[in-house]
Amino acid sequence: MMLDDFMTRATLAGVGVAFAAAPLGCFVVWRRMAYFGDATAHAAILGVALSLALQMSIFAGAVLVALLMALTVTYLAGRGYAMDTLLGVMAHSALAFGLVAVSFLSGVRIDLMAYLFGDILSVSRMDLVVIWGGAALVVGLILWRWAALLTATLNEELAYASGLDPRREQLVLTVALAITVAVAIKVVGVLLIAAMLIIPAAAARGLARTPEAMAAIAAGIGALSAVAGLRAAYVFDTPAGPSIVCVAALLFAGLNLAGWRSARGA
């Protein structure tokens, strides 16, 4: 069967993560939440250690800890702490504690590099179910609250005037971010998840005239990065996760260069 081919499974996994990350990545870019996404992703390694220690699903542990991290940062930021400092402390502390916790797991064989940089070539059919299920959940959440999220992102006062609670919309984004981090661990690893959130959305920004178009274009760029990155990894024998991010970065640079030349020629 088609899914018996590891490259086919890897491609489907990469595209699934791209579809989950694209609309969420747009809000990360609009709200300037790049470091927030990074902190949430770094916390996921602690979730991996927790999952292995308790013999539970990696997905469940990563979602739980990523969500706790995001909620903690949101709560503390609302109490007067400087957001950039708080995120720096929380992100690196969570990653360090996670790595230390993994070292204490006796009798558990773990390929730490696979969780840090992804191991997309070992994706199983069950992993595909989790990835695409998570992607569907994220896209569903974003579509459900799309108008409210846009209003809260544009202007909090306008959101209040429209009867919306910006804190609730932030919670929706936080939940979606935690799920995306959990499904992306297998594909690009915790150190590169933020890149897949930000780079396709940033690349799409100059091509789109509407928020909806930006999300759709970002999904296309993310999916193209996954397919081309996997092909490059196969041809040049390079790590798959980092190769996907490299292709996304090259697309970002190319599109921006093309836009700059077009603006100079106009």
Side-chain angles (χ1 to χ4, degrees):
M1 290 182 66
M2 184 176 68
L3 290 181
D4 290 334
D5 180 40
F6 73 96
M7 283 298 289
T8 300
R9 294 195 302 272
T11 301
L12 288 173
V15 172
V17 168
F19 285 166
L24 183 58
C26 291
F27 284 102
V28 168
V29 169
W30 292 330
R31 287 173 171 248
R32 300 181 180 178
M33 291 171 58
Y35 213 179
F36 188 86
D38 212 26
T40 306
H42 283 184
I45 198 70
L46 190 56
V48 170
L50 180 67
S51 300
L52 293 171
L54 300 179
Q55 297 184 336
M56 58 188 284
S57 163
I58 297 289
F59 175 79
V63 167
L64 177 62
V65 175
L67 187 57
L68 283 174
M69 163 66 84
L71 291 174
T72 300
V73 169
T74 302
Y75 173 76
L76 291 177
R79 299 182 69 85
Y81 289 86
M83 179 63 89
D84 58 343
T85 303
L86 187 62
L87 286 171
V89 171
M90 298 289 283
H92 301 302
S93 298
L95 180 60
F97 276 112
L99 294 174
V100 170
V102 166
S103 71
F104 280 111
L105 296 176
S106 59
V108 177
R109 295 188 64 183
I110 175 173
D111 181 5
L112 199 54
M113 294 295 286
Y115 291 108
L116 293 177
F117 297 103
D119 191 17
I120 190 172
L121 298 180
S122 69
V123 166
S124 66
R125 294 187 184 190
M126 193 62 221
D127 289 328
L128 281 180
V129 171
V130 171
I131 289 169
W132 277 91
L137 189 55
V138 169
V139 172
L141 270 174
I142 298 296
L143 288 176
W144 172 50
R145 303 301 303 169
W146 181 262
L149 285 168
L150 278 179
T151 303
T153 299
L154 180 65
N155 191 311
E156 286 195 3
E157 292 182 2
L158 179 61
Y160 280 119
S162 302
L164 299 171
D165 183 356
R167 290 172 299 180
R168 182 179 63 189
E169 307 313 321
Q170 175 67 36
L171 179 60
V172 171
L173 286 178
T174 299
V175 171
L177 183 60
I179 295 171
T180 302
V181 165
V183 301
I185 284 178
K186 191 81 171 182
V187 176
V188 290
V190 298
L191 296 184
L192 298 174
I193 289 170
M196 286 305 291
L197 281 168
I198 298 162
I199 297 176
R205 195 169 194 170
L207 301 175
R209 294 182 178 272
T210 65
E212 292 80 7
M214 181 172 163
I217 295 170
I221 292 172
L224 178 60
S225 299
V227 174
L230 279 170
R231 180 61 182 171
Y234 181 78
V235 172
F236 299 110
D237 193 25
T238 54
S243 297
I244 291 171
V245 175
C246 285
V247 170
L250 289 173
L251 287 172
F252 171 79
L255 289 170
N256 275 276
L257 182 60
W260 177 70
R261 285 186 173 179
S262 176
R264 284 197 66 185

